[in-house]
């Protein structure tokens, strides 16, 4: 019990990650609702069918929807369905599939290579993409087959509808299939105030990893194929890869509850607003620099290393970033605005 | 809503599988308890550490414990940690890893071959194992490296402590590593009334897949390495394979609740008792044959095909088995003893 | 030098395998011819283009042709181009891909399962194939996608044109792709006295592994895609899998020499005839039983174990087969008919 | 025939690659010698045993030796024996395993990531290696396990004995296993005038890919494990990966002939000398810049793009390099010194 308290205490003052938050009420209620009696397993149940339907309605198109356990699997299985082992995937050098999935894309696809391109604010530079896919066209180097983008990006920035359309055209021109890592897709929709279709299939996205966990779910992401041909036998792929839940209803019922209630968007908007509040206050502090435009639910700032240390000393938790002076502050559906104010006050004190 | 009711109605009279049951109260309460505020992700939290500790206490030994999303992944990752791609795994021809995981073992291990042996009542025949591992010893055929057994078996039978010791000795003699698929390990412990250690590490099991889902959890299995050397870098293996949960506490807190409350054993015992009750009643019906000794939570019976059809017509759900006259009736923690009585009555009526 | 002689001496009296023979004159001369000056590498050379052309002429159709180093790679890469990792390959339980390639099919395809069917004389039983592909149709078991047959079979028997047509129809009916392991395809053509097309694409074969090594080459097999769509990007597949020769001309020039001279068929016919001679003589010996009709270049016979030992004692080399009394005698392009007579004489003496 | 002539004619004036050369006399004679009668297959023969012995003598140590078909397989299998799928390999950004093997390392190891470091003259910068292996130490990123270096490098430069010792110490300090891609190892030995052991195991190399093809063989590379523990079951690995030759003697006999005759070193020295001659003449031409010190058998030079075009116009073949003005001229065992003079004369004319 004491241990547990300390377990909690270490989690006061927390802006380290949006996956530190728990399960929101709407997701919880949906699981409770689904936990009445028995249900067929492996997705052959009411909730799964309904969740698929709700997602089709959300995207206003007939798409193929699958549910897997986490984002690494969702991204890797989606990419494996786009590529053969001798193909390559082009993505930003800071993409999650490159930096935080321990080579899962290479593992699930049995060797598909990830080719990195730079780009400001965590967004791929299209000229760099062009250069990368033209750099080699012989069989001694993996053939570019997929383009993977992240919306919102790892740096808390967003691709605009226009930027996504340009990416879609480039991909189409070079016959590249487009994957979108949407671990924070909800934050993007809320921030851009667009219809989900505008930043997905209408912009040429073939398959989307639609994140649930960071948005208030206990577990689970949806893999949404707008290009239905690419979904062929994806159910077998999921099963073989250990990503088919037997009690699927507990992964899918929350999608119904979150989409019907609008909580998916409300949660994302709250996290975004907390980040925006934090950013606006920080911009008033001369000793602190905001590193990237804060467009989703995170703020990256730069300050003196000793000031960061002082802030840590005050019990705040956050990731430091690209070496010395940078730090990431991530807001979630569960972030307390009062905590944001406390954080700002302590940052001021720390840089003073 | 209407759809939902029908969704439920189709699940009255259900003996198809123990993964049709939902989440039991103890597991649910533990998730609720864990859902207070924020917690570090990826297993770096109080509940995960405590769950590992509780499992070590249960097995009365210092073992390495990991938590993954489902049984297919648990088995496949455990076996991949025992084998190289050019090795082979020896198991019963009806083992789940062979018949119901869509080649996951081969996928996770990049090609390890599964070698099948027969055996009465779903238990491997040791002479057949000897024959299989001696059949080929040249580099043109995969080298046997692991022996995988299932406790309780797919046929609802159990290996006795003595049988397991004999298997362990055989494996040791031939330098085979031993994996136990314990999707229904709790049912085995409850039925044999033994200490968990007696049917695991004391019998030579190197790694155990300890099932949670079928025992009343929402999701998740534990992989328990009694041979700690084999657990080296297993955390990397799980991460790369898309089996590391970010909100790990919701997979691990239930282990605390289930083990502290004893619900893990209570649930298993209840399911076993329902099966025993069903079996004893069925043995009184001359037109029905019990196919295998019912030692865990399932009953396999044989009756006239038309009788099976009649039983289906009365709204009962079950799997038919090995063609015509066989059927499996699976009980779970949630099985209602009144339903067992109803089933028996309808079986009698169907064979009449 | 002395060592070398002993090296040779152990190889007198040899009927163990047709890959014990060396390089025939026509293949050797072609390599010598190709070894004049420099040539572009990786198959971008005169000989490779010409070898492909010669093979197209041989099969009287426009097919895609690739050259790899050995039969294991040829079979595995061909099958990997027909299947995804969650698919399965149906073949005879004694097929080389199952019994002698150390799980290569599973490795190259990242987990494709091999499903075994029985059948007399090493030829698949079509009813057993039907049963196997219908046995399971759910996502929990690999989906049958390819049918692999061996011509000539591992038991030295042959599929007739009619049998192959029936297999092709069955495969077409169930949308199975057909792979033929033709490590001894030349022996089949010579023995059946048919046009190569009759036992390949005209019978529904999608891709053929056309063996060179056992037929007198130093090294190398051809992979011939009659279904050209399946050859898409096969060049990348070969390269990534370490099967693209830099000095390709030395793999391909022999195909020109062997096909232009007719040596490919002459060699096969010679080996077949030696086996036929051996069989006819053995049939005259009452204590010896011929196990399978000898239709290609091997003879399987059964005699008293002690007689086999006596025969070994006389310096003869051969494989023993399925335990005690069975033995395989394999003839090659290089087999000396006098040796066949000596062998027969010693067999008679051994059983006396 | 006409076609063949043209086939040859296109190969006058050739400095494109050392794998355009054919088979040297010593290798050819050894194959002829080995082609007398029958021999056991799969490496169970006199020549293979003797070739292993000769290589042990060459390296003056007891090492494990295996023979595979080409360099891509040799490198990939060697690296796969050093790494698990969740590990990473650190190498120079221009290493062959990264730039010219189509993701083979990732394929054979089922996903091992290749981490790139820069470095002058194609040699890894040790500080960059340190930075790369310290950059990430969490399970969300592949764990550095192997360091792969190329000797001679892709830029025709060499690591000195001292540089190799420093690399070996760094690797030892960080528990990295060391792989050396020695496709042109012979050129390195000849140029540095050292004992092979000085630039291999004495410098901490665990496994070496010892190239034969570019040195005058028809086909085949040796994989030499100085760290014998790492060779455990490597024979199974080769077999499963389609890299075990049935008529092994034709891969191994040339090693005997080349090492006994000293041709392996003579060929390498000749190629090196041709490159040195070319370099020295080019240094006299003011309009041409030598890009890297020519220490092995290649010369990289920079001149006006139009001059390169003019040179091409005169019928010379070579690779252009890193865009516009760079070009690679590669010499081989078969390079004619008169051709070098002709090339120099035409370069002078082209830049005039």
């Amino acid at each position: 019990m004491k241990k547990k308290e300390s377990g909690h205490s270490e989690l006061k003052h927390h802006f380290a990650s949006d996956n530190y938050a728990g399960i929101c009420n709407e997701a919880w209620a949906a699981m409770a609702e689904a936990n009445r009696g028995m249900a067929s397993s492996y997705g052959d149940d009411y909730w799964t069918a309904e969740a698929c339907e709700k997602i089709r309605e959300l995207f206003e198109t007939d798409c193929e929807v699958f549910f897997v356990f986490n984002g690494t699997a969702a991204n890797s299985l989606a990419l494996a369905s786009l590529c053969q082992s001798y193909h390559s995937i082009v993505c930003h050098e800071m993409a999650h599939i490159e930096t935080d999935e321990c080579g899962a894309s290479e593992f699930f696809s049995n060797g598909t290579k990830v080719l990195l391109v730079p780009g400001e604010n965590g967004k791929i530079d299209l000229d760099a993409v062009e250069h990368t896919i033209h750099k080699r066209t012989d069989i001694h180097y993996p053939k570019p087959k997929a383009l993977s983008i992240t919306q919102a990006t790892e740096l808390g920035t967003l691709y605009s509808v226009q930027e996504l359309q340009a990416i879609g055209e480039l991909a189409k021109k070079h016959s590249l299939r487009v994957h979108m890592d949407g671990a924070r897709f909800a934050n993007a929709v809320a921030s851009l105030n667009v219809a989900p279709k505008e930043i997905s299939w209408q912009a040429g996205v073939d398959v989307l990893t639609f994140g649930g966990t960071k948005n208030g779910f206990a577990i689970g992401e949806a893999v949404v194929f707008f290009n239905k041909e690419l979904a062929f036998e994806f159910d077998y792929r999921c099963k073989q890869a250990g990503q088919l839940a037997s009690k699927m209803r507990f992964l899918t019922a929350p999608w119904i509850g979150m989409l019907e209630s609008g909580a998916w968007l409300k949660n994302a908007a709250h996290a975004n607003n907390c980040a925006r509040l934090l950013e606006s206050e920080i911009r008033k502090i001369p000793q602190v620099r905001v590193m990237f435009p804060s467009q989703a639910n995170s703020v990256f700032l730069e300050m003196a290393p000793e000031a960061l240390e002082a802030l840590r000393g005050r019990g705040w938790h956050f990731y430091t970033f690209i070496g010395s002076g940078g730090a990431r502050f991530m807001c979630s559906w569960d972030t307390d605005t009062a905590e944001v104010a406390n954080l700002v006050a302590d940052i001021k004190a720390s840089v003073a």
Side-chain angles (χ1 to χ4, degrees), chain A:
Chain A
M1 195 58 175
K2 236 182 86 297
K3 261 166 96 189
K4 194 173 303 185
E5 280 318 311
S6 73
H8 280 297
S9 66
E10 93 186 34
L11 290 172
K12 277 202 256 89
H13 290 1
H14 227 305
F15 286 83
S17 174
D18 41 0
N19 60 31
Y20 282 47
I23 307 170
C24 68
N25 293 334
E26 294 83 354
W28 184 265
M31 285 200 290
E33 157 75 21
N35 193 28
R36 298 186 305 146
M38 295 189 174
S40 295
S41 53
Y42 300 117
D44 178 25
D45 62 76
Y46 158 77
W47 296 275
T48 302
E50 185 67 9
C52 291
E53 196 47 43
K54 286 267 172 294
I55 288 175
R56 288 189 197 97
E57 290 166 10
L58 180 70
F59 285 97
E60 305 172 55
T61 186
D62 180 25
C63 46
E64 291 276 1
V65 184
F66 302 86
F67 300 92
V68 298
F69 294 114
N70 70 6
T72 295
N75 287 333
S76 301
L77 287 168
L79 288 165
S81 71
L82 306 187
C83 298
Q84 292 290 327
S85 60
Y86 46 78
H87 286 148
S88 57
I89 302 156
V90 180
C91 69
H92 191 279
E93 59 195 2
M94 300 196 63
H96 199 268
I97 60 171
E98 165 65 16
T99 65
D100 286 285
E101 298 184 357
C102 199
S105 296
E106 293 90 338
F107 175 77
F108 281 83
S109 62
N110 198 24
T112 302
K113 208 169 182 65
V114 178
L115 305 183
L116 306 178
V117 296
E120 277 195 357
N121 297 327
K123 297 189 279 184
I124 54 172
D125 178 281
L126 294 200
D127 294 337
V129 173
E130 286 261 15
H131 172 261
T132 298
I133 60 188
H134 289 135
K135 188 178 62 182
R136 293 286 297 272
T137 58
D138 57 289
I139 63 171
H140 301 277
Y141 199 72
K143 183 180 186 177
K145 190 74 174 178
L147 182 61
S148 179
I149 53 180
T150 309
Q151 177 80 320
T153 74
E154 296 302 310
L155 300 185
T157 57
L158 294 171
Y159 289 96
S160 69
V161 171
Q162 294 69 20
E163 288 174 317
L164 290 172
Q165 286 169 344
I167 289 169
E169 281 155 27
L170 178 70
K172 190 170 186 179
K173 179 176 153 203
H174 298 296
S175 305
L176 294 180
R177 292 156 172 176
V178 181
H179 163 256
M180 178 177 279
D181 177 352
R184 298 184 181 97
F185 185 77
N187 302 88
V189 172
S191 182
L192 292 170
N193 189 27
V194 293
K197 66 182 173 185
E198 295 179 74
I199 58 173
S200 56
W201 61 273
Q202 284 188 340
V205 173
D206 290 300
V207 55
L208 167 72
T209 295
F210 190 1
T213 313
K214 292 182 167 70
N215 194 26
F217 291 56
I219 226 166
E221 319 281 290
V223 179
V224 185
F225 283 90
F226 301 111
N227 180 336
K228 294 178 70 173
E229 282 182 16
L230 297 175
F232 182 63
E233 295 179 343
F234 194 73
D235 50 351
Y236 277 91
R237 195 180 289 277
C238 292
K239 169 64 190 184
Q240 183 180 39
Q243 290 291 328
L244 179 62
S246 58
K247 297 184 178 178
M248 182 67 88
R249 54 178 155 163
F250 298 114
L251 263 71
T252 51
W255 284 97
I256 305 174
M258 295 290 281
L259 293 175
E260 279 185 340
S261 66
W264 76 285
L265 209 52
K266 181 194 71 183
N267 284 355
H270 173 77
N272 292 348
N273 293 336
C274 289
R276 211 71 68 260
L277 171 62
L278 176 59
E279 180 198 22
S280 61
E281 290 302 318
I282 282 171
R283 287 197 183 280
K284 301 172 185 168
I285 310 173
Q287 304 94 321
V288 183
R289 184 176 76 83
V290 174
M291 298 173 73
F292 314 107
S294 174
Q295 300 172 320
N297 60 321
S298 58
V299 179
F300 290 81
L301 55 78
E302 200 168 35
M303 53 201 272
E306 48 279 6
L308 280 180
E309 269 326 291
L311 189 59
R312 273 234 169 69
R314 289 162 182 274
W316 294 95
H317 297 275
F318 50 86
Y319 287 175
T320 50
F321 176 69
I322 318 178
S324 59
R328 183 187 81 172
F329 292 82
M330 182 75 76
C331 302
S332 74
W333 70 268
D334 196 22
T335 298
D336 181 348
T337 50
E339 274 284 83
V340 176
N342 297 337
L343 172 61
V344 171
D346 279 358
I347 290 176
K348 286 177 178 165
S350 300
V351 297

